[in-house]
Structure formats: C-alpha cells, structure tokens
Amino acid sequence: MEEHDGRLPKQKKVKVVFVLGGPGSGKGTVCAKIVEQFGYSHLSSGELLRKEIKAGSEHGTMIQNMMNEGKLVPSDITVRLIQKAMQETDNDKFLLDGFPRDEENVRTFEKLTKIEPDFILFLDCPEEEMTKRLLSRNQGREDDNIETIKKRFRVFQESTLPLVNYYASKGKVRKVDAARPVEAVFESVKTIFSSANEQGA
Ligand SMILES: Nc1ncnc2c1ncn2[C@@H]1O[C@H](COP(=O)(O)OP(=O)(O)OP(=O)(O)O)[C@@H](O)[C@H]1O
Ligand SMILES: Nc1ccn([C@@H]2O[C@H](COP(=O)(O)O)[C@@H](O)[C@H]2O)c(=O)n1
Ligand SMILES: [Mg+2]
C-alpha cells in the first residue's frame, strides 16, 4: 500500500477544500469570491467535463449524454481531469467545486491522488430556491431545464448528501445557509476560511 501523504505525483503538498451543495446552491459564485480573497485555485468538475465535450474528446459524447440525464460520469474520467488540472496549476490550494458527488468519486480520488480534504464547505439551500436560480441562470447549459433539474436533485439527495453526512460525522463539514443573498453567504464563508487560515488548515 502507498503512503497517504497528501502529495500529487509531482511531489506538491496541497490543500484541498471540497465545495458541495445542491445544483444551483451557488458553489461557482462563492468559489469565485474565495479565489479573489483567499488565493485558492478553483476547479469545477462540471466545468472540466463541459470542456471535454467542447473539445470533442474521446469521451465527449458519453459525458454529454450523462449530463443531459443529470447522471454522474464515471469517476475515473472526472478524477483524472481534476488531477491533471491540479498538476498544471502553480498553486498549492484548491477548491474542488461540485466534487465529490458520490462514494465512487471519493474512492477514486483517494486512490489516484492520496489527498484528504482539509474540510468540506457545504452550501445548504432549499430546492425551491435552487430551481428558481437554475431556471434564470441563462448560461446556455443544456441541463438547466426542469426535467433534468429534477434528476440532478435526486442524484444530490441519494448520492451526495450521504457523503456530506459522512464527512459531518468526522467533524469536517462547514455548513452555510446559502438561501441568503450572495453578500451574506460570502460573509459566512469568509469567517470559515479566515478561521481555517489561522489554524493552518
Ligand atoms: N446567494 C445567491 N442568491 C441569489 N442568486 C444566486 C446566489 N448565488 C448564486 N446565485 C445565482 O444562481 C445561479 C446559480 O449559481 P451557481 O452557478 O453559482 O450555482 P452552482 O451551485 O455552481 O450550480 P451548479 O451545481 O448547477 O453548477 C447563478 O445565476 C448565480 O448568479
Ligand atoms: N463530480 C462530478 C461533477 C459533475 N458531474 C456531471 O456534470 C454535471 C454538471 O455538474 P455541475 O457541478 O456543473 O452542476 C452533473 O450533473 C453531472 O452530470 C459528474 O458526473 N461528476
Ligand atoms: Mg457550478
């Protein structure tokens, strides 16, 4: 068994925060602000997968089909994209936005990177509010339609929330009420990251 030493293959010691929350809870919005204020690099797994589709890569069509159904892409593909992006980024602090989504994501990430997250930022938001946000997002995402949104909510409830509960039982979850205006959400997030900085996390 390999040692679990929190290093990528290039021997870079890194800090990772998983940013979780339902579809439309504001993960991308809040990550952009954390980047500005705390110097993390933001890697959205959904965004990395969408880039694969646009690039017409080997797995592009399969990824597109899974996304349009609100289903999860095989972990091996997602984790390798994240790992590559981390290795290409000259930073030692990463926000993994929308990752992990299920147990298989976690197992694959641990196996390939040997990294444990410092903590999990969890954006808690009711479905009604998330639906409203997604339907008015206007970013041209094919999965922002009501049928797919309902499927994405189901995957979140069945596969991602149990993970959040698991990490909570280990004292690793920092939960924020994400149903408030962006500025109020970010005030809470700032407190969490400032405290993590002080503790050297
Ligand atoms: N606190 C907030 N109050 C109101 N609107 C918000 C808030 N946070 C984000 N939004 C808006 O809601 C929409 C969804 O936000 P965002 O893209 O950040 O969510 P997400 O969690 O990354 O979604 P997904 O899981 O689909 O990628 C965007 O149009 C964004 O501007
Ligand atoms: N770990 C992940 C993350 C995302 N996906 C797929 O991408 C879709 C969009 O994700 P967003 O975070 O941008 O909302 C998601 O519905 C999945 O189809 C994934 O498979 N695995
Ligand atoms: Mg997003």
Side-chain angles (χ1 to χ4, degrees):
M1 269 250 288
E2 284 179 17
E3 279 296 306
H4 195 108
D5 66 354
R7 284 167 200 270
L8 286 167
K10 279 168 137 183
Q11 297 303 303
K12 196 164 61 163
K13 181 88 176 115
V14 294
K15 288 180 183 188
V16 164
V17 176
F18 292 159
V19 182
L20 298 181
S25 56
K27 300 180 294 296
T29 303
V30 125
C31 283
K33 290 181 165 291
I34 300 168
V35 167
E36 274 176 25
Q37 191 125 354
F38 294 95
Y40 280 73
S41 290
H42 173 202
L43 296 178
S44 155
S45 43
E47 211 51 60
L48 290 170
L49 291 165
R50 281 186 284 278
K51 276 191 194 152
E52 286 296 286
I53 299 172
K54 280 203 196 101
S57 83
E58 187 191 350
H59 301 296
T61 308
M62 181 274 289
I63 294 171
Q64 181 150 41
N65 291 337
M66 300 299 270
M67 274 193 176
N68 288 349
E69 282 300 309
K71 291 183 180 162
L72 297 180
V73 172
S75 298
D76 208 47
I77 292 175
T78 311
V79 172
R80 283 181 199 283
L81 289 173
I82 293 172
Q83 194 176 25
K84 182 164 175 279
M86 288 175 82
Q87 286 167 348
E88 286 170 355
T89 306
D90 189 21
N91 197 350
D92 60 358
K93 302 196 290 187
F94 295 90
L95 302 168
L96 297 196
D97 162 0
F99 186 91
R101 295 287 242 270
D102 67 359
E103 259 184 58
E104 195 206 331
N105 272 184
V106 174
R107 274 199 302 273
T108 309
F109 185 75
E110 284 179 352
K111 189 175 107 195
L112 293 183
T113 69
K114 318 290 177 211
I115 294 171
E116 270 269 340
D118 288 333
F119 62 91
I120 286 78
L121 177 66
F122 173 49
L123 302 184
D124 189 27
C125 196
E127 283 190 6
E128 196 186 344
E129 173 66 18
M130 294 193 284
T131 306
K132 216 166 63 186
R133 291 181 189 175
L134 291 173
L135 291 177
S136 57
R137 177 157 59 180
N138 282 331
Q139 282 178 2
R141 274 180 57 167
E142 283 185 36
D143 54 351
D144 280 350
N145 62 79
I146 193 64
E147 289 76 25
T148 311
I149 288 169
K150 283 181 186 159
K151 292 175 184 168
R152 290 160 68 195
F153 284 160
R154 192 165 328 120
V155 170
F156 176 70
Q157 287 288 337
E158 291 175 359
S159 302
T160 312
L161 261 188
L163 274 190
V164 175
N165 293 334
Y166 162 74
Y167 283 118
S169 75
K170 295 174 78 182
K172 286 215 155 196
V173 172
R174 311 287 178 266
K175 178 167 149 178
V176 167
D177 173 5
R180 297 169 295 157
V182 174
E183 297 71 26
V185 174
F186 190 57
E187 278 306 308
S188 302
V189 168
K190 264 199 304 202
T191 306
I192 291 167
F193 277 77
S194 300
S195 148
N197 264 353
E198 280 164 23
Q199 289 162 21

